[in-house]
Amino acid sequence: MDRRQFVIGSLGLLAPRASRAASARIEILPDEPIGVISPDIYGHFTEHLGGCIYGGIWVGENSPVPNVGGIRKALLDQLKRLKPPVVRWPGGCFADSYNWRDGVGPRAQRPRRTNFWGNTPYLAQAPDGPVKYDPNEFGANEFVRFCRLAGAEPYLAANLRSLPAYDFYEWIEYCNSPAGSTSLADLRATTGDREPLRVRFWGVGNESWGCGGNFTGDEYAVEFRRFVEWVPRFDVPLAFIASGPNGPDYAWTRSFFSKLVEKGKNALRNVYGAALHYYCGTSGKGDAIDFTLDDWYALLAKANRMEDLIRNHWQIMGEIDTERRVKLIVDEWGAWHQTAGIAPGYLFGYFPTLRDALVSAITLDTFNRHADKIAMANAAQLVNNIHASFLAAGEKFTVTPIFHVFEMYAAHQGGTSLPTEISARAVEGLPGLAGSSSLHGKRLVLTIANPDAGNAQETEIIARSSRLSPVRAMVLASQDIHAHNTFEHPNALEPAERPLSGGSGASFTYQFAPASVTRLEFDLT
Ligand code: AHR
């Protein structure tokens, strides 16, 4: 793209000089379904890190901040709009230092433990200043309560590096054994939950190639087999999630799966998913808000690498798991910029911009297109941390542009993913438009990101052998690629419904705004 096409307005905003006549085309193939989009692709991740749990989710029952049993009420109210299917906790790297027993029983008696991630901002105002420990006020019962209030399934990540397999066994027993049946069920009752928590999703370690034990793939496979063999099930269809590769570490995937099946392919029955982690990182100075146009394109190009990561890991998995019993999970993803002072102690907390919204759209569209491969994904992280949908400090609260993408894209959950063939002129090495579509009965949902910061894309849309009747268009866009919400201006960037005038019938024409995320809905006949 020619930088001279931009004019710098009086507010320093990038604005298109004129939108070129475009020649993009999207063809959707309703007769070639890819698979059902698991709602769990729209999951979230929470960790005892910075201001995510303490100060973000948990404010405590006696807080002046409106709360439901200690959980921030504004967060619950807004989170429900995203229809969150699943939330992962307590880490991340924290998980492999965490003893679940520290977070049960009466809160006042729970131990304080080191949190190697640093300060606990929730207690930053303590008389003796910021503290570097975890108060354990928020444990498994509080987390599952949070999930239930939000309408999500809990996904617990267990400690594989520093606790024995027996503690994993007992955490499952604590959560899932029937009321009154075991001593751990009685302990659970003293923490407020007589009935079983019925936790289905269990992560067996986290990043076991790094903070989770620094294993090789084949060493970890042996540990994994040991942890998941002969655990109590209590009529819950347990789903074990293995620590997967770090981005393009294909050697990890190959060695883990090869070693896992060394004693027979039956071992694959115990793996619900292999969890890839990919942060597309940052670019330029690493600042969340102060970035150049080159940084914009560089980050979006890195987000787009998710496509190759999924294809390549999936292919390697298929060489060993020939019956395709195991799915891919991406239980940490997002951009990752520098900490930018939301509040003291909020490590990795910053104000996400429109750029991060496009990272979200490009990534979620990629997952939708691979609905046959991806069982779950969890954006890192839900609140105050890295790729956050929410920011909160004291009574201050805002949703971010990432939230808006999740809300727009929730319409894909449970739909049938359809091939969406896009031809559009490339921009700075990126596909000119990126997107996905899904069918829900007769309703077609099409989401498209236009990464071109200076030009709209006039696009012809076709659904093969079908007629399109447009229903509505929602657009998240700004002339300022740095647009973001703050505590003072929580509605600075939000989606708006746009008029539709592209006709109906065999084809429909739509102009995708520069630097935008769009959701179009049609009825298909
Ligand atoms: O999300 C922050 C950290 O990033 C997690 O603790 C870890 O799993 C990853 O490296």
Side-chain angles (χ1 to χ4, degrees):
M1 138 141 291
D2 181 355
R3 301 291 184 287
R4 288 166 301 183
Q5 284 176 310
F6 286 88
V7 286
I8 307 295
S10 56
L11 294 174
L13 309 183
L14 287 168
R17 187 161 277 168
S19 62
R20 281 192 225 148
S23 54
R25 190 168 192 269
I26 297 175
E27 185 169 11
I28 297 160
L29 310 180
D31 295 334
E32 299 179 27
I34 294 169
V36 172
I37 296 174
S38 165
D40 294 342
I41 284 175
Y42 290 85
H44 300 275
F45 168 45
T46 59
E47 181 169 12
H48 290 234
L49 196 179
C52 182
I53 300 295
Y54 297 110
I57 297 173
W58 183 254
V59 294
E61 283 172 313
N62 302 321
S63 171
V65 178
N67 66 84
V68 181
I71 295 164
R72 185 184 288 274
K73 183 170 181 311
L75 175 66
L76 284 173
D77 292 345
Q78 297 300 316
L79 180 53
K80 283 181 205 157
R81 287 172 54 185
L82 303 185
K83 303 188 174 59
V86 58
V87 186
R88 177 176 183 243
W89 173 88
C93 292
F94 179 83
D96 277 293
S97 302
Y98 181 64
N99 187 335
W100 64 267
R101 290 171 193 277
D102 291 344
V104 306
R107 263 182 229 124
Q109 289 164 30
R110 295 184 193 172
R112 295 184 302 282
R113 301 284 188 214
T114 306
N115 182 343
F116 76 94
W117 278 126
N119 292 339
T120 302
Y122 171 65
L123 298 176
Q125 305 312 322
D128 52 352
V131 291
K132 295 197 178 190
Y133 58 78
D134 194 293
N136 278 306
E137 288 178 27
F138 192 84
N141 299 70
E142 288 80 10
F143 173 67
V144 174
R145 228 167 280 153
F146 165 63
C147 289
R148 301 295 182 221
L149 286 166
E153 282 298 314
Y155 164 12
L156 301 188
N159 182 340
L160 178 129
R161 188 197 71 227
S162 54
L163 285 180
Y166 190 62
D167 289 274
F168 179 54
Y169 180 106
E170 289 207 316
W171 202 11
I172 296 173
E173 183 170 302
Y174 174 83
C175 292
N176 292 351
S177 57
S181 65
T182 65
S183 299
L184 288 174
D186 292 345
L187 177 61
R188 185 183 68 227
T190 66
T191 317
D193 290 288
R194 192 178 136 68
E195 295 306 318
L197 303 177
R198 294 190 64 81
V199 177
R200 175 171 182 231
F201 296 116
W202 293 88
V204 185
N206 168 77
E207 296 194 349
S208 303
W209 38 263
C211 64
N214 203 11
F215 295 106
T216 61
D218 46 5
E219 287 167 348
Y220 172 66
V222 174
E223 292 296 310
F224 182 90
R225 284 206 309 252
R226 196 158 62 87
F227 265 63
V228 300
E229 203 57 49
W230 278 76
V231 291
R233 293 188 185 253
F234 305 112
D235 290 331
V236 177
L238 300 182
F240 298 125
I241 295 164
S243 173
N246 181 18
D249 184 356
Y250 301 115
W252 174 273
T253 300
R254 198 176 294 282
S255 61
F256 169 71
F257 277 96
S258 307
K259 189 74 176 178
L260 187 76
V261 300
E262 199 179 46
K263 293 183 65 202
K265 289 206 171 175
N266 233 357
L268 293 166
R269 79 189 189 287
N270 273 337
V271 196
Y272 178 74
L276 162 71
H277 285 185
Y278 178 58
Y279 291 93
C280 62
T282 193
S283 47
K285 287 179 287 184
D287 195 286
I289 297 171
D290 180 13
F291 57 84
T292 65
L293 187 58
D294 283 336
D295 296 336
W296 162 277
Y297 288 117
L299 187 69
L300 299 187
K302 281 161 103 191
N304 198 42
R305 286 186 197 154
M306 186 66 88
E307 173 74 25
D308 285 344
L309 293 176
I310 292 171
R311 281 185 190 281
N312 295 342
H313 284 296
W314 185 250
Q315 192 203 316
I316 294 166
M317 288 163 66
E319 289 166 17
I320 296 148
D321 177 20
T322 46
E323 290 177 23
R324 291 292 189 195
R325 295 197 230 188
V326 183
K327 295 281 187 186
L328 254 177
I329 283 173
V330 188
D331 62 15
E332 290 187 30
W333 67 268
W336 191 332
H337 309 296
Q338 281 174 10
T339 298
I342 295 173
Y346 276 24
L347 187 61
F348 307 143
Y350 53 81
F351 291 93
T353 66
L354 180 61
R355 180 172 64 150
D356 301 299
L358 267 90
V359 166
S360 308
I362 289 169
T363 305
L364 292 170
D365 280 322
T366 307
F367 295 155
N368 289 341
R369 291 196 301 270
H370 293 285
D372 53 335
K373 309 176 184 69
I374 311 280
M376 185 197 290
N378 309 74
Q381 301 189 2
L382 182 70
V383 48
N384 285 340
N385 213 272
I386 312 179
H387 202 72
S389 289
F390 303 94
L391 301 175
E395 301 206 32
K396 295 185 281 190
F397 180 81
T398 184
V399 303
T400 73
I402 297 166
F403 165 91
H404 290 305
V405 173
F406 267 92
E407 189 177 32
M408 289 166 71
Y409 277 54
H412 281 299
Q413 291 187 15
T416 300
S417 175
L418 300 178
T420 308
E421 294 178 355
I422 302 176
S423 30
R425 67 183 141 66
V427 51
E428 298 286 316
L430 273 162
L433 295 173
S436 66
S437 63
S438 61
L439 195 59
H440 311 246
K442 291 277 172 216
R443 181 61 55 89
L444 179 73
V445 177
L446 171 67
T447 47
I448 293 290
N450 180 6
D452 191 327
N455 296 287
Q457 285 264 26
E458 185 85 6
T459 306
E460 184 188 19
I461 301 169
I462 291 166
R464 193 180 285 174
S465 313
S466 307
R467 294 176 64 80
L468 291 166
S469 307
V471 177
R472 74 174 70 89
M474 286 294 285
V475 180
L476 183 72
S478 171
Q479 290 192 339
D480 179 5
I481 57 174
H482 312 99
H484 62 280
N485 297 335
T486 61
F487 294 128
E488 293 72 31
H489 302 286
N491 309 118
L493 181 61
E494 55 184 11
E497 196 151 344
R498 293 279 166 85
L500 283 165
S501 57
S504 67
S507 91
F508 174 80
T509 304
Y510 189 81
Q511 191 181 69
F512 293 101
S516 66
V517 179
T518 301
R519 183 188 71 200
L520 297 177
E521 289 171 79
F522 303 91
D523 279 335
L524 215 61
T525 49

